[in-house]
Amino acid sequence: MTDEEVYRRYLDGDEKSVDELMKRYESALILYITGYLHDVHEAEDLMIEAFTYLFTKRPAIRDGGLKAYLYKTARNMALRHKRKWKLCFSLETLAEEPESETLVEEVVQTAEQQCILHFCMEQLSAGYREALYLVYFEGMRHAEAAYLMGKTEKQVADLVYRGKNALKKRLEKEGITDAKP
């Protein structure tokens, strides 16, 4: 069942549809909003607000448009509540001991690489960062990202291309030499 069909079920009075839509998007929206706020707790609150906005305003949404509508709502809310947060890696994040076949060094290295990736993404311009996130982390097509960002598909394609090259250069400066554009 598509997102829009689930949403229409909600509009027709099926309250369980709310849970189904939230299950589909809550984690991804929190991650997306965290990219703006750098605070997962604030992101969780704004994710709930984005769904509340959707379910109280009850907008007419065309087929294939629910995901973009949710992300655009979340983006606007995040921009209004933007706060600074410094991203850093800590051994305290390794609260649980890794399984016996996984070496601690591998876990630390992976976490450090993720930290470097996030650090390098933060150094990119907002346009590059958002385009890369939407296309690669959220799996959106250029048309969907263009709608969300208020740009043309060509502009998004250019942002993705240039963003990948800029990210590759930053990753190489941080010692990650196997990054591919």
Side-chain angles (χ1 to χ4, degrees):
M1 186 173 290
T2 68
D3 296 335
E4 291 75 20
E5 290 170 337
V6 175
Y7 177 64
R8 281 189 210 108
R9 280 187 14 214
Y10 164 75
L11 293 176
D12 292 337
D14 181 4
E15 294 295 323
K16 292 180 182 178
S17 301
V18 171
D19 294 333
E20 190 170 336
L21 280 175
M22 287 190 73
K23 283 179 189 174
R24 290 182 184 190
Y25 286 106
E26 66 184 336
S27 296
L29 276 175
I30 290 170
L31 184 62
Y32 178 65
I33 296 167
T34 301
Y36 283 100
L37 302 182
H38 308 290
D39 183 334
V40 73
H41 300 292
E42 284 289 323
E44 288 171 347
D45 292 343
L46 286 181
M47 177 272 303
I48 291 169
E49 285 184 38
F51 275 106
T52 301
Y53 185 83
L54 171 71
F55 294 129
T56 56
K57 293 294 182 183
R58 303 170 69 102
I61 296 178
R62 60 181 165 72
D63 286 341
L66 183 69
K67 182 176 184 178
Y69 182 87
L70 273 173
Y71 276 79
K72 191 164 192 166
T73 300
R75 177 180 187 250
N76 291 336
M77 289 179 173
L79 290 173
R80 281 190 291 253
H81 291 87
K82 193 172 181 178
R83 291 190 176 101
K84 297 250 178 193
W85 178 76
K86 187 176 180 181
L87 177 70
C88 63
F89 173 74
S90 169
L91 289 175
E92 294 171 4
T93 59
L94 298 175
E96 296 180 16
E97 185 176 324
E99 294 184 26
S100 60
E101 66 266 3
T102 305
L103 299 174
V104 173
E105 292 84 14
E106 291 175 9
V107 173
V108 171
Q109 183 180 16
T110 301
E112 286 174 344
Q113 286 177 340
Q114 289 176 346
C115 187
I116 290 169
L117 175 62
H118 287 286
F119 173 77
C120 291
M121 287 283 288
E122 283 297 315
Q123 302 304 309
L124 297 176
S125 72
Y128 290 168
R129 184 174 52 248
E130 185 172 16
L132 289 173
Y133 179 81
L134 292 173
V135 170
Y136 290 104
F137 292 97
E138 289 302 322
M140 288 187 182
R141 292 175 286 128
H142 287 187
E144 293 172 310
Y147 170 76
L148 180 63
M149 295 175 71
K151 302 202 177 287
T152 66
E153 285 184 58
K154 172 71 171 128
Q155 288 172 318
V156 169
D158 289 344
L159 286 171
V160 168
Y161 176 78
R162 292 181 187 141
K164 284 192 314 187
N165 288 327
L167 180 60
K168 181 180 188 253
K169 288 177 185 174
R170 293 193 184 279
L171 288 170
E172 286 173 349
K173 284 182 184 177
E174 295 297 324
I176 298 178
T177 57
D178 58 351
K180 298 177 184 175

